[in-house]
């Protein structure tokens, strides 16, 4: 499916702007909307390609800059030590309440998008974005969520807060959840994945998991960690979940 794409400045209630990459099918019609979160490096070329690819399957995809309150619009961090340090520092300076507020703002934008189907909303994200997607699943209008190697879910590490408390709120997740892990990922060890699974089971959540023998950020199509086969399989699982929940 052919798509269109552009960068949009989404107004936020506090008077700011959330720079957002938006990709949507060219064809006329209404499509489910997906908020798609980046890793700490913001809207890098690999992230933009992932959004565009997802849109080509029949979705309106909106990827916000997660550090819009701290960084100038359009800033893309490099995949080097300086970029990593800046991204992590920006994360540490951002209260979870700001992440949550921006989530609601972008979801509202999707609900009003001329090509988005009303009441059909999903979420996805990589790394820190996987955790942000997990929190998006707490929103009542999010029907399906895919978290790719979401960091900090198991121990509450997110932003400036000592503990985001995401796992404590799993009973609020009303839609379906897919968790994608790399078993060689040191940031989310096996015991961390077990903690998340136990909390979801205790809450009787509707969830599934996929494990790949791959490293952290294995879906980023740049760098030595990229695993093309695992990436394609994981991407396919995302499409299956979204098509199921929006059928």
């Amino acid at each position: 499916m052919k798509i269109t794409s552009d960068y949009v400045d989404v107004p936020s209630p506090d008077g700011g702007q959330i720079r957002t990459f938006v990709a949507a099918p060219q064809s006329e019609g209404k499509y489910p909307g997906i908020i798609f979160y980046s890793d700490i490096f913001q809207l890098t070329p690999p992230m933009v390609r992932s959004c565009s690819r997802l849109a080509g399957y029949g979705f309106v995809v909106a990827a916000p800059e997660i550090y819009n309150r701290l960084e100038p619009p359009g800033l893309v961090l490099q995949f080097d030590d300086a970029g990593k340090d800046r991204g992590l520092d920006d994360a540490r300076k951002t209260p979870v309440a700001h992440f949550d507020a921006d989530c609601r703002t972008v979801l509202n934008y999707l609900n009003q998008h001329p090509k988005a189907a009303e009441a059909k909303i999903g979420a996805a994200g990589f790394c820190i974005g996987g955790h942000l997607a997990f929190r998006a699943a707490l929103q009542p209008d999010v029907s399906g969520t895919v978290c790719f190697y979401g960091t900090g879910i198991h121990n509450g590490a997110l932003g400036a807060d000592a503990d985001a408390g995401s796992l404590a709120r799993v009973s609020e997740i009303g839609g379906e959840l897919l968790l994608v892990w790399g078993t060689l990922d040191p940031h989310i060890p096996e015991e961390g994945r077990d903690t998340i699974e136990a909390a979801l089971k205790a809450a009787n959540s509707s969830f599934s998991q996929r494990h790949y023998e791959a490293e952290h950020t294995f879906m980023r199509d740049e760098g030595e960690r990229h695993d093309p086969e695992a990436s394609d399989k994981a991407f396919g699982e995302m499409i299956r979940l979204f098509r199921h929940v929006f059928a």
Side-chain angles (χ1 to χ4, degrees), residues 70-126:
L70 299 173
E71 298 288 6
L75 178 79
V76 176
L77 298 173
Q78 299 301 305
F79 298 133
D80 55 21
D81 288 342
K84 180 179 71 174
D85 290 345
R86 185 166 175 174
L88 290 173
D89 188 56
D90 284 345
R92 286 190 288 265
K93 292 177 179 176
T94 305
V96 173
H98 287 178
F99 285 132
D100 290 346
D102 290 349
C103 174
R104 188 64 258 168
T105 296
V106 177
L107 291 178
N108 291 343
Y109 166 81
L110 281 169
N111 276 316
Q112 298 165 9
H113 192 282
K115 285 199 170 182
E118 186 177 358
K120 290 190 174 183
I121 296 289
F126 299 114

Side-chain angles (χ1 to χ4, degrees), residues 26-104:
Q26 286 185 13
S27 303
E28 293 299 319
K30 296 290 187 178
Y31 304 92
I34 309 293
I35 184 171
F36 203 164
Y37 283 109
S38 72
D39 57 20
I40 61 168
F41 300 95
Q42 297 209 109
L43 302 182
T44 60
M47 181 61 191
V48 168
R49 287 192 288 269
S50 293
C51 293
S52 299
R53 183 182 178 189
L54 179 57
Y57 281 85
F59 302 98
V60 178
V61 181
E65 292 182 342
I66 61 175
Y67 302 136
N68 61 85
R69 288 176 169 83
L70 299 173
E71 298 288 6
L75 178 79
V76 176
L77 298 173
Q78 299 301 305
F79 298 133
D80 55 21
D81 288 342
K84 180 179 71 174
D85 290 345
R86 185 166 175 174
L88 290 173
D89 188 56
D90 284 345
R92 286 190 288 265
K93 292 177 179 176
T94 305
V96 173
H98 287 178
F99 285 132
D100 290 346
D102 290 349
C103 174
R104 188 64 258 168

